[in-house]
């Protein structure tokens, strides 16, 4: 079981031709020209105590590299996610969210799409979770010739995301908490998804401290003139993400710290250069 979380909004469309230079210096120069765009999905309205699914679709000729969702009505409301992952078969990004607040909340999904023909996907094995416990999943990863440019997460019922973020230049890591405390409840699970490309992205990080019982926001911004291809976030043990998704030039995450001590809320973004 992993004992520490990995490092880790207003959504605007960005459509730019880009060439991706190396960001993690390994001596390999790769440059691929492609277009990148962001597409909104149809929002879902969640009543208190209800769960819903939403998706954002890529246009024909493009594929998803990243995506997520944020809560418009109250960005820091206790709306928690158990899925934010690519669905390549249907050319979309899917999110599942639960409204733990006492107010109606509106969740907006968004997907980042590209014409990069080298994009591949890997689904990692499941990590099992006992009732009331948390766990990470064995990592989803890229081949030795590719680089992670985004990733996603999926978890079982009543199991909510603690982190979905990069592990290294070729791997994605996820963790979740199972909030059914009945010892007779069935096992739950969490699994990760890695989105891979032949071209290296740039990586930028942002972080903030969230005190016990508080909520917070972290943002990672691409360098001037660059746009995101994907991103992720982490809030640590016994705390949950309640938003993670792209902006026009970066990635924003929000989290609720239900633990008994401060937690680091971290955001990461993979960026491309026009």
């Amino acid at each position: 079981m992993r004992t520490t979380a990995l490092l880790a909004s207003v959504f605007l469309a960005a459509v730019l031709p880009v060439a991706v230079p190396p960001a993690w210096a390994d001596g390999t120069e790769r440059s691929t020209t492609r277009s990148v765009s962001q597409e909104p999905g149809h929002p879902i309205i969640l009543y208190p105590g209800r769960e819903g699914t939403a998706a954002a679709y890529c246009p024909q000729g493009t594929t998803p590299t990243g995506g997520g969702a944020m809560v418009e009505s109250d960005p820091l409301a206790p709306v928690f996610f158990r899925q934010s992952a690519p669905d390549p078969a249907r050319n979309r990004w899917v999110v599942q969210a639960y409204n733990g607040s006492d107010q109606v909340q509106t969740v907006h999904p968004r997907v980042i799409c590209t014409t990069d023909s080298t994009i591949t996907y890997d689904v990692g094995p499941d990590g099992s979770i006992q009732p009331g416990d948390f766990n990470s999943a064995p990592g989803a990863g890229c081949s030795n010739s590719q680089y992670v440019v985004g990733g996603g997460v999926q978890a079982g019922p009543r199991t909510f995301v603690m982190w979905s973020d990069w592990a290294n230049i070729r791997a994605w890591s996820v963790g979740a908490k199972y909030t059914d405390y009945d010892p007779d409840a069935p096992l739950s699970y969490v699994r990760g998804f890695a989105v891979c490309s032949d071209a290296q992205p740039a990586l930028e990080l942002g972080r903030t401290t969230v005190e016990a019982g508080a909520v917070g926001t972290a943002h990672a911004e691409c360098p001037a003139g660059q746009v995101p291809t994907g991103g992720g976030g982490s809030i640590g043990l016994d705390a949950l993400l309640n938003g993670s998704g792209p902006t026009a030039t970066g990635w924003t995450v929000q989290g609720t710290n239900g633990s008994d001590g401060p937690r680091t809320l971290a955001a990461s973004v993979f960026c491309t250069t026009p």
Side-chain angles (χ1 to χ4, degrees):
M1 180 181 298
R2 169 175 164 162
T3 57
T4 57
L6 297 174
L7 278 178
S9 102
V10 177
F11 290 132
L12 299 174
V15 183
L16 295 171
V18 295
V20 183
W24 293 297
D26 65 354
T28 302
E29 179 79 27
R30 297 178 186 270
S31 180
T32 304
T33 301
R34 82 290 303 279
S35 67
V36 176
S37 65
Q38 292 187 26
E39 301 293 335
H42 189 74
I44 52 172
I45 297 175
L46 295 178
Y47 288 89
R50 301 297 296 271
E51 183 177 275
T53 301
Y57 289 80
C58 287
Q60 185 175 2
T62 67
T63 54
T65 61
M70 303 295 285
V71 181
E72 175 193 62
S73 41
D74 181 1
L76 297 181
V79 174
F80 306 119
F81 292 82
R82 70 182 188 92
Q83 180 175 359
S84 178
D87 179 9
R90 301 185 66 180
N91 210 34
R92 63 180 186 167
W93 197 272
V94 179
V95 297
Q96 286 182 293
Y98 168 78
N99 181 8
S101 77
D102 59 1
Q103 303 290 325
V104 176
Q105 306 292 345
T106 304
V107 177
H108 288 262
R110 200 163 188 89
V111 62
I112 301 174
C113 310
T114 182
T115 56
D116 180 359
S117 62
T118 71
I119 293 294
T120 61
Y121 304 90
D122 181 65
V123 183
D126 292 357
S128 63
I129 310 178
Q130 298 281 347
D133 208 345
F134 56 85
N135 200 1
S136 60
C142 304
S143 69
N144 289 334
S145 64
Q146 290 196 305
Y147 302 87
V148 65
V149 294
V153 60
Q154 184 180 50
R158 301 187 65 177
T159 306
F160 303 114
V161 179
M162 298 165 58
W163 69 82
S164 177
D165 207 358
W166 68 284
N168 56 57
I169 65 172
R170 305 194 200 282
W172 195 261
S173 176
V174 297
K177 178 165 181 155
Y178 187 12
T179 61
D180 189 335
Y181 296 91
D182 182 349
D184 295 325
L187 288 176
S188 189
Y189 70 91
V190 59
R191 68 172 64 104
F193 300 74
V195 183
C196 309
S197 172
D198 283 1
Q200 294 186 64
L203 172 65
E204 299 294 332
L205 306 174
R207 65 181 72 177
T208 189
T209 298
V210 182
E211 298 298 330
V215 293
T217 301
H219 180 77
E221 183 74 2
C222 290
Q226 296 188 14
V227 295
T229 64
S234 165
I235 192 170
L237 303 183
D238 245 3
L240 301 174
L241 294 180
N242 53 305
S244 180
T247 68
T249 56
W251 198 274
T252 296
V253 297
Q254 293 164 332
T256 298
N257 182 5
S259 73
D260 58 0
R263 293 289 183 264
T264 297
L265 177 64
S268 64
V269 64
F270 301 100
C271 307
T272 63
T273 303

